[in-house]
Amino acid sequence: MEQYDIVIVGGGMAGLSAALYGGWLGRKVFLAERQMFGGQIVNADQIENYPGFPDGILGADLVSHVRMQAMKFGAKMAYAEITGLKQEASGFRLDSSEEAYAARAVIIATGGRQRALGVAGELDFEGRGVSRCATCDGAFFAEKSVAVIGGGDTAFDEALYLASITAKVTVVHREAQPTASATLMARARENPKVALLGSAVVDGIIGTDSVEGLRLSNGSQLPLAGVFIAIGFEPETLLLQNLGKLDGGGHAVVNLQMQTTVPGLFAVGAARQGNAGQLASAAGDGVTAAMAAHRHLRACER
């Protein structure tokens, strides 16, 4: 079992930033990612609010840059699903399906999973008109009418991307006013192919072999060919269930240094309580946690 100074679980922006700074600080760092480095942002068609890129940048390109920068400073990365985390006298033991890792400090950067609507037809039509990724599946709905469910930045990003492909995009949101940024909402309102439907609750997704429409709680129906669900994320904090303190939503409770209630154990990005849900803030979390882990290790070395 190889010993590391810092093991990072999760390869999104928070985890990659932690790996970059951990390596830059001279620590032996290992990052485990179970699916795809970069997480959700790999699918982003254009990121325009990340500092340093006035003309925007593709999500996949940003991930590639940060990952290469982290490896330049010596961070080791691999595809591995961490299935268990246990505190030991010397630090922590992390188990995966193939091998175990020892760490003196751990940073949980597992992000979150997309929330489900929980309505009839959602699971039945998954992959047959129901999607959670516009850049992945938008091309299947060229010149067709679709809906995006959600009122935040992600939902409006999806809608604006889909407007370049589909005949019409209806953004369906529960509140009277969406919560997305003013810039995104202005663009949506200026786009003739985007319609906003507020104070609307989805009661079901209807169809026969594939999606044919939405049924709303007021009894009305909205005919369409595709439904893109973008209603936020739930934290992936299963590893912390027996370590540290979680809030009512399952987020790790941390201090300003991103440390959980367990010394040497940190949580960042969507996994932590009070996260801002922005790419730049996730990067900041990772940097903060890496520096705090470095200070924790120095204290242990004295």
Side-chain angles (χ1 to χ4, degrees):
M1 185 167 59
E2 191 162 0
Q3 174 80 47
Y4 293 92
D5 292 329
I6 303 170
V7 169
I8 301 159
V9 186
M13 182 56 70
L16 290 171
S17 299
L20 192 164
Y21 263 74
W24 180 69
L25 290 165
R27 294 298 176 178
K28 185 178 180 181
V29 175
F30 175 71
L31 186 152
E33 166 55 42
R34 70 176 182 179
Q35 290 180 327
M36 179 170 56
F37 288 101
Q40 298 294 323
I41 63 170
V42 169
N43 296 321
D45 181 54
Q46 185 80 345
I47 297 171
E48 56 184 8
N49 61 351
Y50 193 84
F53 299 95
D55 296 321
I57 184 171
L58 289 171
D61 289 345
L62 180 60
V63 169
S64 178
H65 293 332
V66 180
R67 188 181 177 197
M68 286 191 295
Q69 196 173 4
M71 291 190 292
K72 174 185 173 182
F73 288 117
K76 182 180 176 182
M77 302 183 190
Y79 286 105
E81 181 172 4
I82 302 301
T83 56
L85 173 62
K86 181 181 179 181
Q87 188 175 21
E88 298 184 334
S90 58
F92 301 89
R93 174 191 171 100
L94 298 96
D95 292 308
S96 75
S97 57
E98 296 184 0
E99 59 183 301
Y101 309 91
R104 298 167 62 206
V106 171
I107 299 174
I108 300 295
T110 41
R113 60 185 177 275
Q114 291 176 311
R115 286 196 180 100
L117 276 174
V119 300
E122 180 179 10
L123 295 179
D124 295 334
F125 294 114
E126 190 85 43
R128 293 189 292 135
V130 172
S131 174
R132 302 171 198 277
C133 176
T135 55
C136 305
D137 300 325
F140 294 114
F141 302 93
E143 301 307 317
K144 298 179 181 179
S145 293
V146 300
V148 175
I149 314 300
D153 284 353
T154 300
F156 275 74
D157 272 332
E158 298 272 274
L160 289 167
Y161 174 78
L162 288 166
S164 67
I165 301 171
T166 62
K168 181 181 179 181
V169 183
T170 302
V171 181
V172 181
H173 50 94
R174 297 177 66 97
E175 306 300 328
Q177 293 297 323
T179 58
S181 67
T183 299
L184 288 174
M185 283 194 287
R187 288 179 185 168
R189 290 188 173 114
E190 292 167 1
N191 193 314
K193 294 172 71 175
V194 178
L196 305 186
L197 182 59
S199 302
V201 178
V202 176
D203 187 54
I205 300 171
I206 56 178
T208 305
D209 295 323
S210 60
V211 169
E212 296 174 6
L214 288 178
R215 184 176 63 246
L216 303 180
S217 60
N218 63 6
S220 65
Q221 293 187 4
L222 182 66
L224 43 81
V227 177
F228 292 81
I229 300 171
I231 55 173
F233 296 86
E234 296 176 346
E236 291 271 18
T237 50
L238 184 63
L239 289 172
L240 296 176
Q241 281 195 339
N242 297 316
L243 281 174
K245 182 180 178 182
L246 303 179
D247 67 10
H251 302 85
V253 176
V254 299
N255 62 18
L256 292 176
Q257 284 70 50
M258 305 297 145
Q259 182 168 283
T260 68
T261 50
V262 177
L265 179 62
F266 304 83
V268 296
R272 76 162 174 97
Q273 185 183 59
N275 75 88
Q278 297 297 310
L279 204 56
S281 62
D285 280 5
V287 172
T288 299
M291 296 186 73
H294 175 64
R295 290 192 294 269
H296 168 77
L297 295 175
R298 280 201 306 182
C300 294
E301 290 161 355
R302 291 187 184 127

